[in-house]
């Protein structure tokens, strides 16, 4: 449930894998796609190789621009068999789920079924209360742009020990957690600040947003995402798994260290119950679908103009990054601005961004959660050498 501004993460990102996992050559453009070996993607190919050299087991990437499609893989999808990664791999996308959730809420606003200025308490009476939290003072908009001040449940130390660190993960990896349980973890802490008085990334915000979708429609948030986004866009590699513990094929294994400092042995953490992430980060997708989704979103295929403008209206996070409604905005070193989201969950680090006009997109995944620099890959794709 990571996001690019790095103010929180599901697992610590630290030291690289052993040098024994040296980076093999990038495999680019299988299946007839344009390889770009001597074209604009050479810097991206180097960045992908560098991620594996830093310790990421394997990388899969797909870029699309006016010249066509370019794919790249490096490293392995399975450390035991040394099977390489595939450009068609499906993977857990973590907080990229948030853009899908925000899209559905904005569609509901466009239909007149709710307003982003509604309070959380008007939809979920009494749920956001305790230790200074007050759902009567927090709006749905503040959930979506992380200005609510609601405590981030994944920052709770007991929760972290139970679900993210080795001492608890192997005992509890298949636990089913209701979203209300996740909210209660957050409510046991004081809020980070008064509603609207600051910005702090909180996974709790999007657990609540998923519950609002269910209350407004009478259907689980995942069903609404399937009906409103996945099916219309024919996102055949995308799913909302609920409590299903596996990742559908084609896919690679996912690896984590399960320690706070990224030290220790590598563990296969592929199978887990993603209800611990809920509507803040449980989805599965692939790079082709993510590019299609963000391109459709930013070119107006999913939202009317008014709602798309709301989504892209950002709160400043720092000099180069802003956060809208489930959508990040980043100004790169060469002046190009990209919009999208990053996501991290056990053994999986993903990013998907596109330009505002939808003409240049990239989506990729690291099948490890303790090494590699996703920002370097994005910089390479858009800014080159």
């Amino acid at each position: 449930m990571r996001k690019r501004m790095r103010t929180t993460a599901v697992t610590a990102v630290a030291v690289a894998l052993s040098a024994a996992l040296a980076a093999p050559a990038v495999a680019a453009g299988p299946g007839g796609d344009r390889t770009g070996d001597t074209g604009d993607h050479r810097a991206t190919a180097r960045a992908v190789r560098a991620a594996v050299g830093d310790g990421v087991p394997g990388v899969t990437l797909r870029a699309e621009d006016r010249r066509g499609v370019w794919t790249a893989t490096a490293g392995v999808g399975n450390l035991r068999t040394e099977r390489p990664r595939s450009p068609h791999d499906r993977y857990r996308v973590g907080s990229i789920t948030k853009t899908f959730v925000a899209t559905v809420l904005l569609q509901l606003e466009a239909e007149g079924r709710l307003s982003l200025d509604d309070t959380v308490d008007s939809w979920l009476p009494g749920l956001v209360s305790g230790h200074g939290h007050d759902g009567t003072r927090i709006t749905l908009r503040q959930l979506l742009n992380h200005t609510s001040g609601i405590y981030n449940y994944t920052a709770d130390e007991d929760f972290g020990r139970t679900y993210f660190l080795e001492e608890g993960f192997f005992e509890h990896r298949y636990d089913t957690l209701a979203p209300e349980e996740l909210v209660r973890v957050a409510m046991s802490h004081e809020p980070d600040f008064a509603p609207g008085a600051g910005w702090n990334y909180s996974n709790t915000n999007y657990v609540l947003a998923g519950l609002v979708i269910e209350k407004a429609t009478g259907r689980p948030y995942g069903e609404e995402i399937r009906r409103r986004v996945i099916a219309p866009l024919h996102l055949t590699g995308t799913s909302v798994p609920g409590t299903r513990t596996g990742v559908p094929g084609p896919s690679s294994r996912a690896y984590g260290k399960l320690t706070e400092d990224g030290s220790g042995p590598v563990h296969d953490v592929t199978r887990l119950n993603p209800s611990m992430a809920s509507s803040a980060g449980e989805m599965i997708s692939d790079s082709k679908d993510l590019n299609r989704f963000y391109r459709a979103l930013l070119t107006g295929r999913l939202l009317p103009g008014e709602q798309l403008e709301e989504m892209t209206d950002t709160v400043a996070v720092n000099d180069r990054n802003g956060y809208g409604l489930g959508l990040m905005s980043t100004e790169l070193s060469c002046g190009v601005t990209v919009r999208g989201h990053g996501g991290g969950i056990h053994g999986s680090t993903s990013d998907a961004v596109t330009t505002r006009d939808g003409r240049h997109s990239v989506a990729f995944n690291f099948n490890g959660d303790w090494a590699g620099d996703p920002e370097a890959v994005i910089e390479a794709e858009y800014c080159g050498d």
Side-chain angles (χ1 to χ4, degrees):
M1 294 169 283
R2 175 191 61 87
K3 79 287 179 213
R4 184 168 301 111
M5 275 73 85
R6 292 295 196 271
T7 55
T8 189
V10 168
T11 51
V13 175
V15 297
L17 273 173
S18 163
L21 295 173
V26 169
D33 290 341
R34 184 174 57 86
T35 65
D37 289 337
T38 59
D40 294 342
H41 299 284
R42 287 176 295 181
T44 309
R46 288 195 297 273
V48 167
R49 287 194 295 266
V52 175
D54 286 343
V56 176
V59 182
T60 181
L61 176 146
R62 180 183 176 100
E64 301 179 45
D65 60 20
R66 59 187 176 84
R67 295 180 178 87
V69 174
W70 180 82
T71 61
T73 63
V76 298
N78 187 313
L79 291 172
R80 182 178 58 83
T81 66
E82 298 186 347
R83 175 175 53 83
R85 295 214 66 177
S86 164
H88 308 294
D89 272 353
R90 297 175 184 179
Y91 44 82
R92 299 189 191 278
V93 301
S95 281
I96 292 174
T97 303
K98 291 179 172 67
T99 314
F100 287 82
V101 170
T103 298
V104 171
L105 270 177
L106 284 161
Q107 289 178 342
L108 292 172
E109 182 189 57
E111 295 164 9
R113 299 173 70 172
L114 54 76
S115 167
L116 294 191
D117 295 320
D118 292 344
T119 66
V120 175
D121 201 70
S122 67
W123 287 100
L124 306 170
L127 186 58
V128 178
S129 61
H131 292 87
H133 287 95
D134 184 356
T136 68
R137 300 177 55 213
I138 299 168
T139 66
L140 303 186
R141 189 185 311 277
Q142 289 169 334
L143 295 182
L144 297 186
N145 66 12
H146 296 297
T147 61
S148 71
I150 294 174
Y151 184 84
N152 178 17
Y153 76 92
T154 60
D156 178 86
E157 291 185 6
D158 288 340
F159 191 90
R161 282 192 295 269
T162 302
Y163 296 103
F164 302 145
L165 300 182
E166 183 176 358
E167 61 187 276
F169 174 76
F170 290 111
E171 180 179 353
H172 296 283
R173 69 194 298 180
Y174 300 125
D175 289 1
T176 294
L177 299 176
E180 292 84 358
E181 293 180 76
L182 307 179
V183 175
R184 284 196 291 271
V185 171
M187 295 303 104
S188 68
H189 297 265
E190 294 182 357
D192 296 320
F193 46 79
W199 185 91
N200 191 46
Y201 192 90
S202 173
N203 288 303
T204 316
N205 288 325
Y206 275 77
V207 175
L208 291 163
L211 288 170
V212 171
I213 291 172
E214 182 171 355
K215 192 68 174 289
T217 65
R219 290 180 288 271
Y221 93 93
E223 185 175 332
E224 287 298 300
I225 287 177
R226 284 188 287 269
R227 189 170 71 88
R228 294 169 173 269
V229 181
I230 293 175
L233 294 181
H234 305 289
L235 304 181
T236 56
T238 303
S239 59
V240 185
T243 60
R244 296 194 304 276
T245 61
V247 178
S251 60
S252 293
R253 309 305 294 177
Y255 297 98
K257 294 291 189 76
L258 301 176
T259 57
E260 291 183 356
D261 62 0
S263 63
V266 175
H267 302 282
D268 187 322
V269 295
T270 308
R271 297 190 71 87
L272 56 83
N273 185 329
S275 64
M276 69 177 74
S278 187
S279 46
E282 73 167 274
M283 289 182 67
I284 292 167
S285 191
D286 62 28
S287 298
K288 181 179 180 180
D289 278 6
L290 291 177
N291 283 342
R292 181 181 297 175
F293 167 64
Y294 280 106
R295 185 166 57 247
L297 178 62
L298 288 167
T299 56
R301 288 183 58 192
L302 294 172
L303 293 174
E306 179 181 347
Q307 276 67 41
L308 184 56
E309 185 175 347
E310 287 185 283
M311 179 178 253
T312 55
D313 182 18
T314 61
V315 176
V317 176
N318 54 41
D319 290 343
R320 294 177 59 191
N321 295 289
Y323 200 98
L325 305 182
L327 193 68
M328 299 179 187
S329 175
T330 301
E331 183 181 353
L332 303 176
S333 62
C334 56
V336 173
T337 295
V338 293
R339 291 172 170 84
H341 216 290
I345 193 168
H346 304 71
S348 183
T349 302
S350 308
D351 271 275
V353 297
T354 188
T355 50
R356 180 64 179 85
D357 61 10
R359 293 181 179 178
H360 188 175
S361 305
V362 65
F364 59 93
N365 172 260
F366 299 167
N367 63 339
D369 57 25
W370 69 93
D373 185 357
E375 288 85 351
V377 177
I378 295 170
E379 280 278 344
E381 174 61 23
Y382 288 93
C383 299
D385 295 316

